Amino acid sequence: MARALSTSWICFRCLRRQQRVFQRRLTTAATATAIKPSLGVYQAAPKHEDETLKQIFNSQIFWQEFSEPKKSLWRTEQAGLLQNHFLRTPQGFQKFVEATLQRCQRLLDKVLAISTVEEYKKIVHYLDRLSDLLCRVIDLADFVRSTHPDSAYQQQAHHAHLRMYDYMNILNTTPGLYNQLNVALNNSEITSSWSEEELRVAQILRKDFSQSAIALPEVEREAFVRLSGKINDLGSRFLDGMRAQNSQIGLRSGRLQGLEPRFVQRHTKYGGIVKIPTIGSSVPYVLNSAQDESVRKEMYIASRTAAEEEINLLEELVKTRAKVAKLSGFDSYARMALSDKMAQTPEAVSKLLDALAADNRNHVKLELAKLVKLKLESSDDGVGSNTINAWDREYYRSRMLRESNRPTRTSESLSSFFSLGTVIQGISRLFSSLYGVRFQPVEPIPGETWSPDVRRLDVLDEDDTRIAVLYCDLFARDGKPPNPAHFTLRCSRLITAAEIEEHASQQQDSIDRTSVPLDPLALANDGMATTPLSDGSAYQLPTIALICDIPSPRSTKTPPLLPTSHLVTLFHEMGHAIHSILGRTKLQNVSGTRCATDFAELPSILMEYFATNSAVLGLWARHWQTDAPIPQDVAAQVQKNALVASTAKEAASDTEWQIILSLIDQAYHSPLAASSHGFDSDAIAHDIYSRYSSVPEPRETRWQGFFGHLVSYGGSYYSYLFDRAIAARVWEKVFNDGKGSAALDREKGERFKAEVLSWGGSREPWRCVAGLLKDSRLENGGEKAMEIVGGWGTER
């Protein structure tokens, strides 16, 4: 009935995206709101709005004044979280669940009672509403339990998530729903009346039911529900408990040459021992900077050796997934997970990974040869080792990059052009240029956000119509998950006039009777964002949260200044956001990022190319103090450095690592997980390291305990590599490698929107890619298409 949201990803950028195997998504471009192209490069926002957008992120003082509630304008009672009228208190989650279950039961009864052709014609809309009700609670609760700083909200959200998740699995194994859907699908008079979108959703839902052991006897269906709940619990525990076996390493300060004295002093404890954490930002810093090879080795091994409890949770998760797959009639979880992806089969994934590995192999050798040369030149006696160890690679790559950048500006001076507010302003201008939408800063209502640091932006089209709401929680704080991510908290959907009238008569289920009465439209969407239409219907607007971990500036006089890596991360997450925004459809099941997992990363990875493009930088990058635009030669250097860092020859080791992780994912979700000889995740991982890694991995490491993407991308981790290859091709063929002003060209943006963004999950992804690239060989997908994509490689 319901399906997982597809959000962001690279290297833990989407770590908390919860896998919900049977949560469904549906949308269509035919119902998307058209946005007319403008004549200029971009249609500028009103000047005061554009400046305010920058200042609310750059100046804490400005933000405090802007967000100070105009108490005389608001009722004394606080708004609910995200304006959801149930969530004025943590206990509101209980009311939210109870009201939702009542609504679900009414819809369930309605579907099971259908007996006429005219009613069967509406069954897809009924099932989509049922799915939407489930997702309203599950998606929002999953977000709140991982992000809200208040433990009471976290606990109530967790309980709400568990209740609705269990109920969802019961619906997925309810034979009556499956039988009613089949009646409709088997009647040509009914199916001929459906739109392409409705027909696709019906077919998707039937497939979901079939994967939910729907045809099995009741005892086995109950086992399926029980195991699905266990998978959900194991996944959450695995993510929440992620830690190294040893939380820190202790070193004498004399061994720490190359590290900043302030860093060493901050971590020095009694007795002069320097205690350095083995997880977090300290790890890459030590690996990049410590001159003593033994220090790097100790940190590398400690930071890649997960706690034994985590390994046990992971292995139990994988084995439980194998049991679910067997109940559903599949020989492995990977085959089950891939059946609705672009790859379709594990064999097709193997074709892709083999092609990528072949394309990448020589590039790795060239990269390692450069590192060996630098290592030999760096030794005191000029006779150093000619072997690059696993703990050497980042150190010598960092040195090589620093030396290649010596003639250019330092990262610190470059960041002066990348203040956070200017970057957000730039993304708004870019979206206006390509798609005709922009951000408008909005003062939050008291109680609407979960932290004072959260900024609210409305997304407007060129007619100034609100089409989405975006909450930006971008600053690091104690207890906040450190991994950047995109969450769609509510999807786009058409709310019919009949549905609004229906809610008007059911207020007792929708709101606490002691609260201020709401109008029927607010009741229909729990008080969250909508846009009314002239015919009495309305659009349920996508409500999105972006999470980052940008350090707050130490002084109120200085804005947050982003290094290039944070700039690229923010653009990546905004790529997911624009997919959610422009995938505006009648049915929520395939809205925005609710598409095949191995298609969902394309918009976000493509956005990374725009982040460092010189023409795009010229659109927005300005010095935070002088307001001077970034010099053309500096913008060109930023683009050049980004190209060097991402070309296959320089990032070949990273690509190799992604290939290895994809192979580990496939192996963990192969029939090996159900083997009677036992399942040993260590042995499997190290066997793959030995066969595919150009640099030996120390045998004592257990990195798979940090492989958080196994929760949300089980059986489909290859998706990042796959979409990287497609994104590189799109940048080259559609956006002309960003040459000239191609990255700002409205016609090219409209082409990408028309072929990809506006469809969400309502169109076969291979058709989207084939149409965008004008390559008919890809239209039907299959192993040959996967091999073609693998042959493109992942370089820019």
Side-chain angles (χ1 to χ4, degrees), residues 418-473:
F418 301 158
S419 69
L420 177 59
T422 308
V423 174
I424 298 294
Q425 185 185 58
I427 292 172
S428 180
R429 291 176 177 180
L430 176 64
F431 286 166
S432 178
S433 175
L434 293 175
Y435 310 120
V437 301
R438 71 178 195 276
F439 299 150
Q440 179 187 61
V442 175
E443 173 196 332
I445 300 172
E448 180 179 356
T449 62
W450 53 96
S451 167
D453 285 337
V454 176
R455 276 66 162 167
R456 171 181 164 175
L457 305 177
D458 281 359
V459 185
L460 307 183
D461 66 13
E462 289 176 322
D463 294 325
D464 286 340
T465 300
R466 184 173 63 161
I467 61 172
V469 176
L470 177 64
Y471 293 95
C472 296
D473 186 0

Side-chain angles (χ1 to χ4, degrees), residues 57 420 424 472-476 480 546-550 570:
F57 290 96
L420 177 59
I424 298 294
C472 296
D473 186 0
L474 304 183
F475 295 106
K480 178 183 174 182
L546 286 190
I547 307 298
C548 286
D549 59 344
I550 298 168
L570 194 51

